[in-house]
Amino acid sequence: MTKDGGRNTTRRKLKQILDRLHSGVTRVSPRSTLGFAILWLTVSVSGAGQTTQPPADLGSVPSGPASKDVLHLTLRDALTMALRYNLGQIESGENARIARGQRLRAMSTLLPQVTAGAAENVQQFSAATLGIKVPQVPSVIGPFSFSTAQANANLSLFNFESIQRFRAARSAEQAAQLNYNDTLDVITLIVGNIYLEVIQAGSRIEAEEAQVKNAQALYDQAADQLQSGTSTKIDVTRSGVQLHTEQYNLSIARNNFAIAKLNLSRAIGLPLGQVFDLADQVPYADIHPQTVEDALNTAYKTRSDFRAALSVEKSAQQQLSATRGERYPVLAVNGDYGVQGPNPGTLHGAFTFQAGVTVPVFTSGRIKGDIGEAEAALHQRKAEAENLRGQIDYDVRTAFLNLQAARQQVTVAKENVDLANENLSRSQERFAAGVTDSVEVVQAQQALASANDQYITGLYNHNLSKLQLARALGVARNNYNQYLAVH
């Protein structure tokens, strides 16, 4: 049985991913990755022209051949597929099976072991090897044959070490199952985040298309005014530069959208090359969570990773007890019963029975070394559990701060978009009336682009902060739809 209670490389990578995701919701680093190992996922788009690629060791198992029809993918569909085909889920589930096998193997040492067999024997041997030197006895006896059939059984009546190792394996199995449940919760957060990124990338395309439309209108207007003699060549040049800039930004937004869809497809195990679109848009919906203190109490009870850490600590304590039990006597019995004779028709019963006690007298420091190693492992597990307790406190408090900040961002950004639209409209009217040049209109377009970018980012941050809060409480897998207001 592994000393880390069934934890594996995949779970460590997932924790690293989650820690990075919790680093802040106001601005996601454009090059930071959130991996799934389990699956293998990333936080990608944080602004126009900024994307990340999923780590090479994160992925999923493609679910089969692609269909020719366009798949309308809801968030529920995406999560359902991820929880089936995500590599992290698969590995974590198999780790739980391994822990179950280790528990059964440990239990087998406490139960009777019975074997049975039958044989037909042919022998020949030298009498001299037995010390027989009687003239009347042939020097070579045989060949002769006989048949045997017997059953053997042994049972450990008392073995404190085996009892404690079985209990440790049982606790480790519980930890592995809890780790599996926590993996599903983390996958929900990561896949939900990627789904939100695709929505965000699609919104940026719409915003950039509107910007291109405004820039095209300004360019056409400046060209018309140049021909009529009411505008200068510089206004046409300036508006043309702005038009090409917006077209460039639009191409980046479309590329980011395509990559974000590939990230989602990779994370959930869609068939390779499957064409799909998103059926959910996850609109803005505010929530009113419980207090921080109540949330912390809930998290300590519901977070599967914390409960798994406590189970691993319990397993380490039982391993230490088992190691100390190596000094205790072991009481065991064994025996066999069978029949044997010259041929199957003349078989006679034969049996043996043995009971005994084994006491370790001198082990040359082996037991002492085992105890020291087990004590060190226990101290590590205790430290890990306490560290996770602190991490949960950090996760919950950070989620509350991010949620509050994101709520304010959306409110301010929405007002800013309205003001920027109004400013652009007035600037266009002034330019059409010849009151101002194209500089003011270009500046107004840039201000609107910035306002739209902030609003799109604010909506993404708000939805992500709600999903982070659900994860911090350990309820993302079952309650994500309540936090994101999707069906």
PDB file of all heavy atoms in Angstrom, residues 185 289-290 294-296 298-303 396 400 468-476 483:
ATOM      1  N   ASP A 185     -15.193  17.285  -8.538  1.00  0.00           N
ATOM      2  CA  ASP A 185     -15.472  18.679  -8.190  1.00  0.00           C
ATOM      3  C   ASP A 185     -14.506  19.616  -8.909  1.00  0.00           C
ATOM      4  O   ASP A 185     -14.906  20.662  -9.427  1.00  0.00           O
ATOM      5  CB  ASP A 185     -15.359  18.858  -6.672  1.00  0.00           C
ATOM      6  CG  ASP A 185     -16.311  19.915  -6.136  1.00  0.00           C
ATOM      7  OD1 ASP A 185     -17.521  19.820  -6.423  1.00  0.00           O
ATOM      8  OD2 ASP A 185     -15.850  20.836  -5.445  1.00  0.00           O
ATOM      9  N   PRO A 289     -24.566  34.686  -1.175  1.00  0.00           N
ATOM     10  CA  PRO A 289     -24.070  33.533  -0.414  1.00  0.00           C
ATOM     11  C   PRO A 289     -24.175  33.747   1.085  1.00  0.00           C
ATOM     12  O   PRO A 289     -24.469  34.842   1.571  1.00  0.00           O
ATOM     13  CB  PRO A 289     -22.603  33.446  -0.860  1.00  0.00           C
ATOM     14  CG  PRO A 289     -22.235  34.855  -1.193  1.00  0.00           C
ATOM     15  CD  PRO A 289     -23.480  35.476  -1.771  1.00  0.00           C
ATOM     16  N   GLN A 290     -23.917  32.689   1.824  1.00  0.00           N
ATOM     17  CA  GLN A 290     -23.901  32.748   3.275  1.00  0.00           C
ATOM     18  C   GLN A 290     -22.688  33.538   3.746  1.00  0.00           C
ATOM     19  O   GLN A 290     -21.854  33.955   2.947  1.00  0.00           O
ATOM     20  CB  GLN A 290     -23.869  31.326   3.837  1.00  0.00           C
ATOM     21  CG  GLN A 290     -22.741  30.466   3.284  1.00  0.00           C
ATOM     22  CD  GLN A 290     -22.874  29.006   3.643  1.00  0.00           C
ATOM     23  OE1 GLN A 290     -23.313  28.677   4.721  1.00  0.00           O
ATOM     24  NE2 GLN A 290     -22.506  28.121   2.726  1.00  0.00           N
ATOM     25  N   ASP A 294     -20.009  30.891   8.117  1.00  0.00           N
ATOM     26  CA  ASP A 294     -20.857  29.741   7.784  1.00  0.00           C
ATOM     27  C   ASP A 294     -20.285  28.972   6.597  1.00  0.00           C
ATOM     28  O   ASP A 294     -20.346  27.740   6.545  1.00  0.00           O
ATOM     29  CB  ASP A 294     -22.275  30.211   7.470  1.00  0.00           C
ATOM     30  CG  ASP A 294     -23.000  30.737   8.702  1.00  0.00           C
ATOM     31  OD1 ASP A 294     -22.580  30.389   9.828  1.00  0.00           O
ATOM     32  OD2 ASP A 294     -23.962  31.508   8.546  1.00  0.00           O
ATOM     33  N   ALA A 295     -19.746  29.717   5.634  1.00  0.00           N
ATOM     34  CA  ALA A 295     -19.161  29.060   4.468  1.00  0.00           C
ATOM     35  C   ALA A 295     -17.969  28.195   4.860  1.00  0.00           C
ATOM     36  O   ALA A 295     -17.778  27.091   4.336  1.00  0.00           O
ATOM     37  CB  ALA A 295     -18.739  30.107   3.437  1.00  0.00           C
ATOM     38  N   LEU A 296     -17.137  28.690   5.783  1.00  0.00           N
ATOM     39  CA  LEU A 296     -15.993  27.901   6.241  1.00  0.00           C
ATOM     40  C   LEU A 296     -16.448  26.631   6.940  1.00  0.00           C
ATOM     41  O   LEU A 296     -15.887  25.548   6.718  1.00  0.00           O
ATOM     42  CB  LEU A 296     -15.120  28.739   7.166  1.00  0.00           C
ATOM     43  CG  LEU A 296     -14.271  29.824   6.491  1.00  0.00           C
ATOM     44  CD1 LEU A 296     -13.629  30.719   7.541  1.00  0.00           C
ATOM     45  CD2 LEU A 296     -13.203  29.187   5.605  1.00  0.00           C
ATOM     46  N   THR A 298     -19.179  25.046   6.419  1.00  0.00           N
ATOM     47  CA  THR A 298     -19.688  24.158   5.373  1.00  0.00           C
ATOM     48  C   THR A 298     -18.547  23.480   4.613  1.00  0.00           C
ATOM     49  O   THR A 298     -18.581  22.277   4.340  1.00  0.00           O
ATOM     50  CB  THR A 298     -20.568  24.943   4.396  1.00  0.00           C
ATOM     51  OG1 THR A 298     -21.679  25.515   5.096  1.00  0.00           O
ATOM     52  CG2 THR A 298     -21.087  24.043   3.280  1.00  0.00           C
ATOM     53  N   ALA A 299     -17.531  24.272   4.283  1.00  0.00           N
ATOM     54  CA  ALA A 299     -16.412  23.737   3.494  1.00  0.00           C
ATOM     55  C   ALA A 299     -15.683  22.627   4.230  1.00  0.00           C
ATOM     56  O   ALA A 299     -15.316  21.602   3.630  1.00  0.00           O
ATOM     57  CB  ALA A 299     -15.448  24.862   3.134  1.00  0.00           C
ATOM     58  N   TYR A 300     -15.456  22.809   5.546  1.00  0.00           N
ATOM     59  CA  TYR A 300     -14.731  21.782   6.299  1.00  0.00           C
ATOM     60  C   TYR A 300     -15.529  20.474   6.371  1.00  0.00           C
ATOM     61  O   TYR A 300     -14.949  19.397   6.547  1.00  0.00           O
ATOM     62  CB  TYR A 300     -14.438  22.275   7.710  1.00  0.00           C
ATOM     63  CG  TYR A 300     -13.404  23.380   7.759  1.00  0.00           C
ATOM     64  CD1 TYR A 300     -13.615  24.536   8.515  1.00  0.00           C
ATOM     65  CD2 TYR A 300     -12.220  23.285   7.040  1.00  0.00           C
ATOM     66  CE1 TYR A 300     -12.677  25.556   8.552  1.00  0.00           C
ATOM     67  CE2 TYR A 300     -11.275  24.298   7.075  1.00  0.00           C
ATOM     68  CZ  TYR A 300     -11.512  25.429   7.831  1.00  0.00           C
ATOM     69  OH  TYR A 300     -10.583  26.431   7.858  1.00  0.00           O
ATOM     70  N   LYS A 301     -16.846  20.568   6.214  1.00  0.00           N
ATOM     71  CA  LYS A 301     -17.676  19.367   6.274  1.00  0.00           C
ATOM     72  C   LYS A 301     -17.852  18.715   4.907  1.00  0.00           C
ATOM     73  O   LYS A 301     -18.025  17.496   4.821  1.00  0.00           O
ATOM     74  CB  LYS A 301     -19.050  19.714   6.858  1.00  0.00           C
ATOM     75  CG  LYS A 301     -19.012  20.176   8.309  1.00  0.00           C
ATOM     76  CD  LYS A 301     -20.408  20.565   8.779  1.00  0.00           C
ATOM     77  CE  LYS A 301     -20.390  21.073  10.219  1.00  0.00           C
ATOM     78  NZ  LYS A 301     -21.734  21.520  10.673  1.00  0.00           N
ATOM     79  N   THR A 302     -17.839  19.532   3.850  1.00  0.00           N
ATOM     80  CA  THR A 302     -18.205  19.014   2.531  1.00  0.00           C
ATOM     81  C   THR A 302     -17.029  18.822   1.595  1.00  0.00           C
ATOM     82  O   THR A 302     -17.153  18.053   0.625  1.00  0.00           O
ATOM     83  CB  THR A 302     -19.227  19.946   1.862  1.00  0.00           C
ATOM     84  OG1 THR A 302     -18.665  21.272   1.755  1.00  0.00           O
ATOM     85  CG2 THR A 302     -20.515  20.018   2.672  1.00  0.00           C
ATOM     86  N   ARG A 303     -15.906  19.500   1.826  1.00  0.00           N
ATOM     87  CA  ARG A 303     -14.776  19.362   0.902  1.00  0.00           C
ATOM     88  C   ARG A 303     -14.221  17.944   0.951  1.00  0.00           C
ATOM     89  O   ARG A 303     -13.696  17.492   1.986  1.00  0.00           O
ATOM     90  CB  ARG A 303     -13.678  20.375   1.250  1.00  0.00           C
ATOM     91  CG  ARG A 303     -13.955  21.786   0.786  1.00  0.00           C
ATOM     92  CD  ARG A 303     -13.585  21.983  -0.664  1.00  0.00           C
ATOM     93  NE  ARG A 303     -12.157  21.947  -0.869  1.00  0.00           N
ATOM     94  CZ  ARG A 303     -11.391  23.008  -1.039  1.00  0.00           C
ATOM     95  NH1 ARG A 303     -11.911  24.230  -1.004  1.00  0.00           N
ATOM     96  NH2 ARG A 303     -10.098  22.885  -1.258  1.00  0.00           N
ATOM     97  N   VAL A 396     -11.962  29.939   0.472  1.00  0.00           N
ATOM     98  CA  VAL A 396     -13.273  30.518   0.755  1.00  0.00           C
ATOM     99  C   VAL A 396     -13.190  32.034   0.829  1.00  0.00           C
ATOM    100  O   VAL A 396     -14.003  32.759   0.223  1.00  0.00           O
ATOM    101  CB  VAL A 396     -13.848  29.928   2.057  1.00  0.00           C
ATOM    102  CG1 VAL A 396     -15.114  30.678   2.474  1.00  0.00           C
ATOM    103  CG2 VAL A 396     -14.148  28.439   1.881  1.00  0.00           C
ATOM    104  N   PHE A 400     -14.908  34.814  -1.806  1.00  0.00           N
ATOM    105  CA  PHE A 400     -15.799  35.896  -1.400  1.00  0.00           C
ATOM    106  C   PHE A 400     -15.280  37.245  -1.901  1.00  0.00           C
ATOM    107  O   PHE A 400     -16.053  38.079  -2.388  1.00  0.00           O
ATOM    108  CB  PHE A 400     -15.957  35.910   0.120  1.00  0.00           C
ATOM    109  CG  PHE A 400     -17.095  35.082   0.623  1.00  0.00           C
ATOM    110  CD1 PHE A 400     -16.946  33.716   0.813  1.00  0.00           C
ATOM    111  CD2 PHE A 400     -18.330  35.652   0.906  1.00  0.00           C
ATOM    112  CE1 PHE A 400     -17.992  32.939   1.274  1.00  0.00           C
ATOM    113  CE2 PHE A 400     -19.384  34.879   1.363  1.00  0.00           C
ATOM    114  CZ  PHE A 400     -19.216  33.518   1.550  1.00  0.00           C
ATOM    115  N   GLN A 468     -15.929  29.389  -8.567  1.00  0.00           N
ATOM    116  CA  GLN A 468     -14.854  29.208  -7.598  1.00  0.00           C
ATOM    117  C   GLN A 468     -15.413  29.080  -6.183  1.00  0.00           C
ATOM    118  O   GLN A 468     -14.906  28.290  -5.378  1.00  0.00           O
ATOM    119  CB  GLN A 468     -13.892  30.392  -7.661  1.00  0.00           C
ATOM    120  CG  GLN A 468     -12.968  30.382  -8.858  1.00  0.00           C
ATOM    121  CD  GLN A 468     -12.061  31.594  -8.864  1.00  0.00           C
ATOM    122  OE1 GLN A 468     -12.487  32.713  -8.609  1.00  0.00           O
ATOM    123  NE2 GLN A 468     -10.798  31.384  -9.147  1.00  0.00           N
ATOM    124  N   LEU A 469     -16.420  29.858  -5.879  1.00  0.00           N
ATOM    125  CA  LEU A 469     -17.026  29.765  -4.549  1.00  0.00           C
ATOM    126  C   LEU A 469     -17.652  28.391  -4.345  1.00  0.00           C
ATOM    127  O   LEU A 469     -17.505  27.784  -3.276  1.00  0.00           O
ATOM    128  CB  LEU A 469     -18.072  30.864  -4.372  1.00  0.00           C
ATOM    129  CG  LEU A 469     -18.828  30.860  -3.044  1.00  0.00           C
ATOM    130  CD1 LEU A 469     -17.864  31.006  -1.868  1.00  0.00           C
ATOM    131  CD2 LEU A 469     -19.879  31.974  -3.007  1.00  0.00           C
ATOM    132  N   ALA A 470     -18.334  27.891  -5.378  1.00  0.00           N
ATOM    133  CA  ALA A 470     -18.917  26.552  -5.274  1.00  0.00           C
ATOM    134  C   ALA A 470     -17.835  25.506  -5.053  1.00  0.00           C
ATOM    135  O   ALA A 470     -17.998  24.579  -4.253  1.00  0.00           O
ATOM    136  CB  ALA A 470     -19.716  26.236  -6.537  1.00  0.00           C
ATOM    137  N   ARG A 471     -16.708  25.660  -5.750  1.00  0.00           N
ATOM    138  CA  ARG A 471     -15.599  24.734  -5.547  1.00  0.00           C
ATOM    139  C   ARG A 471     -15.006  24.877  -4.148  1.00  0.00           C
ATOM    140  O   ARG A 471     -14.691  23.882  -3.496  1.00  0.00           O
ATOM    141  CB  ARG A 471     -14.524  24.988  -6.612  1.00  0.00           C
ATOM    142  CG  ARG A 471     -13.151  24.436  -6.271  1.00  0.00           C
ATOM    143  CD  ARG A 471     -13.171  22.951  -5.977  1.00  0.00           C
ATOM    144  NE  ARG A 471     -11.905  22.513  -5.396  1.00  0.00           N
ATOM    145  CZ  ARG A 471     -11.731  21.349  -4.801  1.00  0.00           C
ATOM    146  NH1 ARG A 471     -12.742  20.504  -4.685  1.00  0.00           N
ATOM    147  NH2 ARG A 471     -10.567  21.024  -4.290  1.00  0.00           N
ATOM    148  N   ALA A 472     -14.853  26.112  -3.679  1.00  0.00           N
ATOM    149  CA  ALA A 472     -14.283  26.335  -2.350  1.00  0.00           C
ATOM    150  C   ALA A 472     -15.131  25.683  -1.274  1.00  0.00           C
ATOM    151  O   ALA A 472     -14.617  25.222  -0.256  1.00  0.00           O
ATOM    152  CB  ALA A 472     -14.138  27.828  -2.077  1.00  0.00           C
ATOM    153  N   LEU A 473     -16.439  25.625  -1.512  1.00  0.00           N
ATOM    154  CA  LEU A 473     -17.348  24.986  -0.552  1.00  0.00           C
ATOM    155  C   LEU A 473     -17.447  23.481  -0.771  1.00  0.00           C
ATOM    156  O   LEU A 473     -18.064  22.777   0.036  1.00  0.00           O
ATOM    157  CB  LEU A 473     -18.741  25.615  -0.649  1.00  0.00           C
ATOM    158  CG  LEU A 473     -18.839  27.107  -0.315  1.00  0.00           C
ATOM    159  CD1 LEU A 473     -20.263  27.607  -0.517  1.00  0.00           C
ATOM    160  CD2 LEU A 473     -18.384  27.366   1.112  1.00  0.00           C
ATOM    161  N   GLY A 474     -16.884  22.984  -1.863  1.00  0.00           N
ATOM    162  CA  GLY A 474     -16.947  21.554  -2.142  1.00  0.00           C
ATOM    163  C   GLY A 474     -18.261  21.091  -2.728  1.00  0.00           C
ATOM    164  O   GLY A 474     -18.602  19.913  -2.634  1.00  0.00           O
ATOM    165  N   VAL A 475     -19.004  22.005  -3.379  1.00  0.00           N
ATOM    166  CA  VAL A 475     -20.324  21.645  -3.918  1.00  0.00           C
ATOM    167  C   VAL A 475     -20.415  21.930  -5.416  1.00  0.00           C
ATOM    168  O   VAL A 475     -21.518  21.955  -5.964  1.00  0.00           O
ATOM    169  CB  VAL A 475     -21.440  22.403  -3.166  1.00  0.00           C
ATOM    170  CG1 VAL A 475     -21.463  22.006  -1.696  1.00  0.00           C
ATOM    171  CG2 VAL A 475     -21.274  23.919  -3.304  1.00  0.00           C
ATOM    172  N   ALA A 476     -19.303  22.153  -6.084  1.00  0.00           N
ATOM    173  CA  ALA A 476     -19.343  22.518  -7.497  1.00  0.00           C
ATOM    174  C   ALA A 476     -19.973  21.413  -8.341  1.00  0.00           C
ATOM    175  O   ALA A 476     -20.755  21.697  -9.256  1.00  0.00           O
ATOM    176  CB  ALA A 476     -17.937  22.834  -7.994  1.00  0.00           C
ATOM    177  N   TYR A 483     -25.359  28.026  -8.955  1.00  0.00           N
ATOM    178  CA  TYR A 483     -24.461  29.171  -8.868  1.00  0.00           C
ATOM    179  C   TYR A 483     -24.371  29.932 -10.176  1.00  0.00           C
ATOM    180  O   TYR A 483     -24.205  31.156 -10.182  1.00  0.00           O
ATOM    181  CB  TYR A 483     -23.071  28.722  -8.422  1.00  0.00           C
ATOM    182  CG  TYR A 483     -22.973  28.445  -6.945  1.00  0.00           C
ATOM    183  CD1 TYR A 483     -23.452  27.257  -6.397  1.00  0.00           C
ATOM    184  CD2 TYR A 483     -22.412  29.371  -6.075  1.00  0.00           C
ATOM    185  CE1 TYR A 483     -23.367  26.998  -5.043  1.00  0.00           C
ATOM    186  CE2 TYR A 483     -22.319  29.122  -4.722  1.00  0.00           C
ATOM    187  CZ  TYR A 483     -22.807  27.931  -4.210  1.00  0.00           C
ATOM    188  OH  TYR A 483     -22.735  27.691  -2.861  1.00  0.00           O
TER     189      TYR A 483
END
